[in-house]
Amino acid sequence: MNPPLLALNGIIRRYGAITAVGRINVTVAAGQRLAITGPNGAGKSTLLGLIDGTVTATSGKVIYDGTDITTWPTHRRARAGIARVFQHPQVAARHTVLGNILLGVHRHHRTGTALLPPRRAAARLMREMTLHLADQTGLRTVGTHLAGHLSYGHRRQLDLAMALAGQPRLLLLDEPTAGLSDHETERITRMLSALPDTMTVLIVEHDPAVAARITTTTLQLNAGQPTAEGGPA
Ligand code: ATP
């Protein structure tokens, strides 16, 4: 087992009388692929929010790569390599697909998450990274299309490409196949199962067949509490 990349220690999130996540302890090893399952309202999205910083903890600690990041804002966590793909795609509709990916690459270059050489060499490298990401996410053939004209499936692939642009160490995916056709689900599943082994992935996924192809362990939640943890069986 690799050393832990992420640990949630006694993490709690309450909304008034509702306990969305109740004193959870979870350790995720570097390179682990963990599925988070459970019924509606189980606390799955809240758990992802506690990790990416969009939700603040009521109590408990979030430890990432040995550092307590519990009070870090989202942008600081993103710079440290935590990326999240949301349920609803967030892309610049008037830019092309490649333009969007380039924006993602550029944003991470500007904020210093990727190590790139200066000026012209950097511009060339960013273009190469953009094309590589387009290939990796199956978007090369629609590279010149406007993002606003893409099918829903392709927009989700674009959102994934933009998250990958930051070369994240920890990728959080919130229902990546929700609302997709069988064909689109197959495309995304194949892409996710081909992510580099070094990337740690947490995925909220309702479809057990999809989860089984991408992940090796599952954390099942109910009413903010783990009810099962282990391999797919
Ligand atoms: P779903 O599968 O429906 O997305 P989920 O497992 O992701 O559900 P959460 O969205 O994390 O569940 O919600 C857990 C509980 O916390 C629910 O009872 C929800 O109503 C409540 N909750 C989540 N966010 C808030 C909020 N901002 N304000 C009040 N209650 C909230």
Side-chain angles (χ1 to χ4, degrees):
M1 187 80 143
N2 291 335
L5 180 66
L6 176 75
L8 304 175
N9 295 340
I11 202 90
I12 298 176
R13 172 66 208 204
R14 290 198 191 96
Y15 293 104
I18 297 171
T19 300
V21 165
R23 209 178 296 283
I24 284 185
N25 294 300
V26 182
T27 303
V28 182
Q32 190 175 337
R33 303 289 156 95
L34 177 69
I36 303 168
T37 63
N40 290 345
K44 305 179 296 293
S45 297
T46 303
L47 195 69
L48 291 191
L50 287 160
I51 299 167
D52 83 344
T54 51
V55 173
T56 53
T58 304
S59 65
K61 286 192 188 313
V62 182
I63 310 292
Y64 172 71
D65 200 18
T67 302
D68 184 349
I69 63 163
T70 315
T71 58
W72 286 19
T74 304
H75 62 86
R76 193 170 172 199
R77 297 187 199 202
R79 273 208 303 272
I82 300 176
R84 172 141 176 218
V85 181
F86 286 88
Q87 271 176 1
H88 305 290
Q90 303 168 334
V91 297
R94 292 183 186 183
H95 287 272
T96 63
V97 168
L98 289 176
N100 266 280
I101 302 176
L102 185 61
L103 277 174
V105 171
H106 190 259
R107 184 164 58 226
H108 289 286
H109 170 51
R110 245 187 332 116
T111 53
T113 52
L115 289 173
L116 293 171
R119 290 185 287 278
R120 255 195 316 173
R124 196 183 61 235
L125 197 51
M126 282 195 271
R127 278 198 303 274
E128 282 169 9
M129 284 174 71
T130 298
L131 294 176
H132 170 74
L133 284 163
D135 283 338
Q136 187 184 4
T137 53
L139 290 169
R140 190 67 175 258
T141 54
V142 292
T144 56
H145 295 199
L146 289 182
H149 293 172
L150 292 179
S151 67
Y152 184 65
H154 275 138
R155 279 176 63 179
R156 301 218 69 172
Q157 284 169 248
L158 179 54
D159 227 38
L160 180 64
M162 296 190 59
L164 294 177
Q167 298 171 306
R169 296 178 67 195
L170 177 59
L171 182 64
L172 309 172
L173 299 161
D174 207 344
E175 302 194 33
T177 66
L180 299 188
S181 68
D182 288 351
H183 173 66
E184 291 168 334
T185 297
E186 176 58 29
R187 214 163 48 200
I188 288 258
T189 306
R190 236 186 296 128
M191 190 187 314
L192 293 176
S193 53
L195 288 174
D197 289 345
T198 48
M199 201 178 286
T200 309
V201 183
L202 265 64
I203 168 170
V204 171
E205 179 56 61
H206 284 292
D207 184 340
V210 171
R213 283 175 59 192
I214 302 167
T215 61
T216 46
T217 44
T218 299
L219 172 70
Q220 191 185 319
L221 295 180
N222 198 2
Q225 288 291 336
T227 47
E229 194 177 353

mmCIF file with all atom_site columns, all heavy atoms in Angstrom, residues 160-173:
data_model
loop_
_atom_site.group_PDB
_atom_site.id
_atom_site.type_symbol
_atom_site.label_atom_id
_atom_site.label_alt_id
_atom_site.label_comp_id
_atom_site.label_asym_id
_atom_site.label_entity_id
_atom_site.label_seq_id
_atom_site.pdbx_PDB_ins_code
_atom_site.Cartn_x
_atom_site.Cartn_y
_atom_site.Cartn_z
_atom_site.occupancy
_atom_site.B_iso_or_equiv
_atom_site.pdbx_formal_charge
_atom_site.auth_seq_id
_atom_site.auth_comp_id
_atom_site.auth_asym_id
_atom_site.auth_atom_id
_atom_site.pdbx_PDB_model_num
ATOM 1   N N   . LEU A 1 160 ? -13.417 17.500 -17.935 1.00 0.00 ? 160 LEU A N   1
ATOM 2   C CA  . LEU A 1 160 ? -12.383 16.599 -17.420 1.00 0.00 ? 160 LEU A CA  1
ATOM 3   C C   . LEU A 1 160 ? -11.005 17.038 -17.940 1.00 0.00 ? 160 LEU A C   1
ATOM 4   O O   . LEU A 1 160 ? -10.030 17.092 -17.182 1.00 0.00 ? 160 LEU A O   1
ATOM 5   C CB  . LEU A 1 160 ? -12.695 15.167 -17.843 1.00 0.00 ? 160 LEU A CB  1
ATOM 6   C CG  . LEU A 1 160 ? -11.711 14.103 -17.393 1.00 0.00 ? 160 LEU A CG  1
ATOM 7   C CD1 . LEU A 1 160 ? -11.695 13.987 -15.876 1.00 0.00 ? 160 LEU A CD1 1
ATOM 8   C CD2 . LEU A 1 160 ? -12.065 12.753 -18.006 1.00 0.00 ? 160 LEU A CD2 1
ATOM 9   N N   . ALA A 1 161 ? -10.942 17.387 -19.230 1.00 0.00 ? 161 ALA A N   1
ATOM 10  C CA  . ALA A 1 161 ? -9.670  17.844 -19.808 1.00 0.00 ? 161 ALA A CA  1
ATOM 11  C C   . ALA A 1 161 ? -9.165  19.070 -19.059 1.00 0.00 ? 161 ALA A C   1
ATOM 12  O O   . ALA A 1 161 ? -7.968  19.201 -18.782 1.00 0.00 ? 161 ALA A O   1
ATOM 13  C CB  . ALA A 1 161 ? -9.856  18.171 -21.294 1.00 0.00 ? 161 ALA A CB  1
ATOM 14  N N   . MET A 1 162 ? -10.094 19.979 -18.703 1.00 0.00 ? 162 MET A N   1
ATOM 15  C CA  . MET A 1 162 ? -9.673  21.192 -18.006 1.00 0.00 ? 162 MET A CA  1
ATOM 16  C C   . MET A 1 162 ? -9.190  20.899 -16.595 1.00 0.00 ? 162 MET A C   1
ATOM 17  O O   . MET A 1 162 ? -8.280  21.547 -16.091 1.00 0.00 ? 162 MET A O   1
ATOM 18  C CB  . MET A 1 162 ? -10.790 22.216 -18.036 1.00 0.00 ? 162 MET A CB  1
ATOM 19  C CG  . MET A 1 162 ? -11.018 22.596 -19.482 1.00 0.00 ? 162 MET A CG  1
ATOM 20  S SD  . MET A 1 162 ? -12.056 23.961 -19.803 1.00 0.00 ? 162 MET A SD  1
ATOM 21  C CE  . MET A 1 162 ? -11.269 25.278 -18.976 1.00 0.00 ? 162 MET A CE  1
ATOM 22  N N   . ALA A 1 163 ? -9.789  19.912 -15.960 1.00 0.00 ? 163 ALA A N   1
ATOM 23  C CA  . ALA A 1 163 ? -9.307  19.516 -14.632 1.00 0.00 ? 163 ALA A CA  1
ATOM 24  C C   . ALA A 1 163 ? -7.921  18.875 -14.755 1.00 0.00 ? 163 ALA A C   1
ATOM 25  O O   . ALA A 1 163 ? -7.024  19.137 -13.949 1.00 0.00 ? 163 ALA A O   1
ATOM 26  C CB  . ALA A 1 163 ? -10.287 18.541 -13.986 1.00 0.00 ? 163 ALA A CB  1
ATOM 27  N N   . LEU A 1 164 ? -7.725  18.067 -15.800 1.00 0.00 ? 164 LEU A N   1
ATOM 28  C CA  . LEU A 1 164 ? -6.436  17.388 -15.990 1.00 0.00 ? 164 LEU A CA  1
ATOM 29  C C   . LEU A 1 164 ? -5.339  18.381 -16.392 1.00 0.00 ? 164 LEU A C   1
ATOM 30  O O   . LEU A 1 164 ? -4.157  18.092 -16.226 1.00 0.00 ? 164 LEU A O   1
ATOM 31  C CB  . LEU A 1 164 ? -6.554  16.290 -17.044 1.00 0.00 ? 164 LEU A CB  1
ATOM 32  C CG  . LEU A 1 164 ? -7.457  15.102 -16.684 1.00 0.00 ? 164 LEU A CG  1
ATOM 33  C CD1 . LEU A 1 164 ? -7.542  14.136 -17.856 1.00 0.00 ? 164 LEU A CD1 1
ATOM 34  C CD2 . LEU A 1 164 ? -6.930  14.377 -15.446 1.00 0.00 ? 164 LEU A CD2 1
ATOM 35  N N   . ALA A 1 165 ? -5.746  19.541 -16.929 1.00 0.00 ? 165 ALA A N   1
ATOM 36  C CA  . ALA A 1 165 ? -4.769  20.543 -17.365 1.00 0.00 ? 165 ALA A CA  1
ATOM 37  C C   . ALA A 1 165 ? -3.854  20.965 -16.215 1.00 0.00 ? 165 ALA A C   1
ATOM 38  O O   . ALA A 1 165 ? -2.709  21.361 -16.445 1.00 0.00 ? 165 ALA A O   1
ATOM 39  C CB  . ALA A 1 165 ? -5.480  21.764 -17.952 1.00 0.00 ? 165 ALA A CB  1
ATOM 40  N N   . GLY A 1 166 ? -4.356  20.893 -15.000 1.00 0.00 ? 166 GLY A N   1
ATOM 41  C CA  . GLY A 1 166 ? -3.541  21.290 -13.840 1.00 0.00 ? 166 GLY A CA  1
ATOM 42  C C   . GLY A 1 166 ? -2.659  20.170 -13.325 1.00 0.00 ? 166 GLY A C   1
ATOM 43  O O   . GLY A 1 166 ? -2.021  20.320 -12.290 1.00 0.00 ? 166 GLY A O   1
ATOM 44  N N   . GLN A 1 167 ? -2.613  19.053 -14.049 1.00 0.00 ? 167 GLN A N   1
ATOM 45  C CA  . GLN A 1 167 ? -1.831  17.893 -13.627 1.00 0.00 ? 167 GLN A CA  1
ATOM 46  C C   . GLN A 1 167 ? -2.083  17.571 -12.149 1.00 0.00 ? 167 GLN A C   1
ATOM 47  O O   . GLN A 1 167 ? -1.150  17.562 -11.344 1.00 0.00 ? 167 GLN A O   1
ATOM 48  C CB  . GLN A 1 167 ? -0.342  18.130 -13.882 1.00 0.00 ? 167 GLN A CB  1
ATOM 49  C CG  . GLN A 1 167 ? -0.046  18.324 -15.361 1.00 0.00 ? 167 GLN A CG  1
ATOM 50  C CD  . GLN A 1 167 ? 1.374   18.774 -15.629 1.00 0.00 ? 167 GLN A CD  1
ATOM 51  O OE1 . GLN A 1 167 ? 1.826   19.775 -15.076 1.00 0.00 ? 167 GLN A OE1 1
ATOM 52  N NE2 . GLN A 1 167 ? 2.064   18.043 -16.445 1.00 0.00 ? 167 GLN A NE2 1
ATOM 53  N N   . PRO A 1 168 ? -3.369  17.339 -11.797 1.00 0.00 ? 168 PRO A N   1
ATOM 54  C CA  . PRO A 1 168 ? -3.699  17.138 -10.378 1.00 0.00 ? 168 PRO A CA  1
ATOM 55  C C   . PRO A 1 168 ? -3.117  15.847 -9.809  1.00 0.00 ? 168 PRO A C   1
ATOM 56  O O   . PRO A 1 168 ? -2.912  14.884 -10.546 1.00 0.00 ? 168 PRO A O   1
ATOM 57  C CB  . PRO A 1 168 ? -5.235  17.074 -10.384 1.00 0.00 ? 168 PRO A CB  1
ATOM 58  C CG  . PRO A 1 168 ? -5.583  16.589 -11.747 1.00 0.00 ? 168 PRO A CG  1
ATOM 59  C CD  . PRO A 1 168 ? -4.543  17.175 -12.662 1.00 0.00 ? 168 PRO A CD  1
ATOM 60  N N   . ARG A 1 169 ? -2.869  15.867 -8.524  1.00 0.00 ? 169 ARG A N   1
ATOM 61  C CA  . ARG A 1 169 ? -2.460  14.639 -7.830  1.00 0.00 ? 169 ARG A CA  1
ATOM 62  C C   . ARG A 1 169 ? -3.699  13.934 -7.296  1.00 0.00 ? 169 ARG A C   1
ATOM 63  O O   . ARG A 1 169 ? -3.711  12.732 -7.126  1.00 0.00 ? 169 ARG A O   1
ATOM 64  C CB  . ARG A 1 169 ? -1.529  14.987 -6.661  1.00 0.00 ? 169 ARG A CB  1
ATOM 65  C CG  . ARG A 1 169 ? -0.230  15.618 -7.129  1.00 0.00 ? 169 ARG A CG  1
ATOM 66  C CD  . ARG A 1 169 ? 0.619   15.987 -5.949  1.00 0.00 ? 169 ARG A CD  1
ATOM 67  N NE  . ARG A 1 169 ? 1.078   14.795 -5.231  1.00 0.00 ? 169 ARG A NE  1
ATOM 68  C CZ  . ARG A 1 169 ? 1.582   14.825 -4.018  1.00 0.00 ? 169 ARG A CZ  1
ATOM 69  N NH1 . ARG A 1 169 ? 1.687   15.965 -3.362  1.00 0.00 ? 169 ARG A NH1 1
ATOM 70  N NH2 . ARG A 1 169 ? 1.997   13.714 -3.445  1.00 0.00 ? 169 ARG A NH2 1
ATOM 71  N N   . LEU A 1 170 ? -4.719  14.729 -6.987  1.00 0.00 ? 170 LEU A N   1
ATOM 72  C CA  . LEU A 1 170 ? -5.962  14.176 -6.456  1.00 0.00 ? 170 LEU A CA  1
ATOM 73  C C   . LEU A 1 170 ? -7.122  14.700 -7.301  1.00 0.00 ? 170 LEU A C   1
ATOM 74  O O   . LEU A 1 170 ? -7.353  15.908 -7.366  1.00 0.00 ? 170 LEU A O   1
ATOM 75  C CB  . LEU A 1 170 ? -6.134  14.611 -4.990  1.00 0.00 ? 170 LEU A CB  1
ATOM 76  C CG  . LEU A 1 170 ? -7.420  14.193 -4.297  1.00 0.00 ? 170 LEU A CG  1
ATOM 77  C CD1 . LEU A 1 170 ? -7.592  12.690 -4.279  1.00 0.00 ? 170 LEU A CD1 1
ATOM 78  C CD2 . LEU A 1 170 ? -7.450  14.737 -2.863  1.00 0.00 ? 170 LEU A CD2 1
ATOM 79  N N   . LEU A 1 171 ? -7.816  13.778 -7.971  1.00 0.00 ? 171 LEU A N   1
ATOM 80  C CA  . LEU A 1 171 ? -8.916  14.155 -8.855  1.00 0.00 ? 171 LEU A CA  1
ATOM 81  C C   . LEU A 1 171 ? -10.231 13.722 -8.221  1.00 0.00 ? 171 LEU A C   1
ATOM 82  O O   . LEU A 1 171 ? -10.406 12.548 -7.875  1.00 0.00 ? 171 LEU A O   1
ATOM 83  C CB  . LEU A 1 171 ? -8.719  13.474 -10.214 1.00 0.00 ? 171 LEU A CB  1
ATOM 84  C CG  . LEU A 1 171 ? -9.745  13.770 -11.301 1.00 0.00 ? 171 LEU A CG  1
ATOM 85  C CD1 . LEU A 1 171 ? -9.725  15.254 -11.694 1.00 0.00 ? 171 LEU A CD1 1
ATOM 86  C CD2 . LEU A 1 171 ? -9.467  12.908 -12.539 1.00 0.00 ? 171 LEU A CD2 1
ATOM 87  N N   . LEU A 1 172 ? -11.151 14.679 -8.066  1.00 0.00 ? 172 LEU A N   1
ATOM 88  C CA  . LEU A 1 172 ? -12.456 14.401 -7.470  1.00 0.00 ? 172 LEU A CA  1
ATOM 89  C C   . LEU A 1 172 ? -13.518 14.502 -8.556  1.00 0.00 ? 172 LEU A C   1
ATOM 90  O O   . LEU A 1 172 ? -13.634 15.539 -9.216  1.00 0.00 ? 172 LEU A O   1
ATOM 91  C CB  . LEU A 1 172 ? -12.758 15.429 -6.366  1.00 0.00 ? 172 LEU A CB  1
ATOM 92  C CG  . LEU A 1 172 ? -11.670 15.635 -5.316  1.00 0.00 ? 172 LEU A CG  1
ATOM 93  C CD1 . LEU A 1 172 ? -12.022 16.809 -4.399  1.00 0.00 ? 172 LEU A CD1 1
ATOM 94  C CD2 . LEU A 1 172 ? -11.483 14.361 -4.483  1.00 0.00 ? 172 LEU A CD2 1
ATOM 95  N N   . LEU A 1 173 ? -14.265 13.426 -8.753  1.00 0.00 ? 173 LEU A N   1
ATOM 96  C CA  . LEU A 1 173 ? -15.249 13.390 -9.838  1.00 0.00 ? 173 LEU A CA  1
ATOM 97  C C   . LEU A 1 173 ? -16.639 13.180 -9.249  1.00 0.00 ? 173 LEU A C   1
ATOM 98  O O   . LEU A 1 173 ? -16.869 12.210 -8.527  1.00 0.00 ? 173 LEU A O   1
ATOM 99  C CB  . LEU A 1 173 ? -14.936 12.236 -10.793 1.00 0.00 ? 173 LEU A CB  1
ATOM 100 C CG  . LEU A 1 173 ? -13.578 12.288 -11.487 1.00 0.00 ? 173 LEU A CG  1
ATOM 101 C CD1 . LEU A 1 173 ? -13.193 10.917 -12.011 1.00 0.00 ? 173 LEU A CD1 1
ATOM 102 C CD2 . LEU A 1 173 ? -13.632 13.286 -12.628 1.00 0.00 ? 173 LEU A CD2 1
#
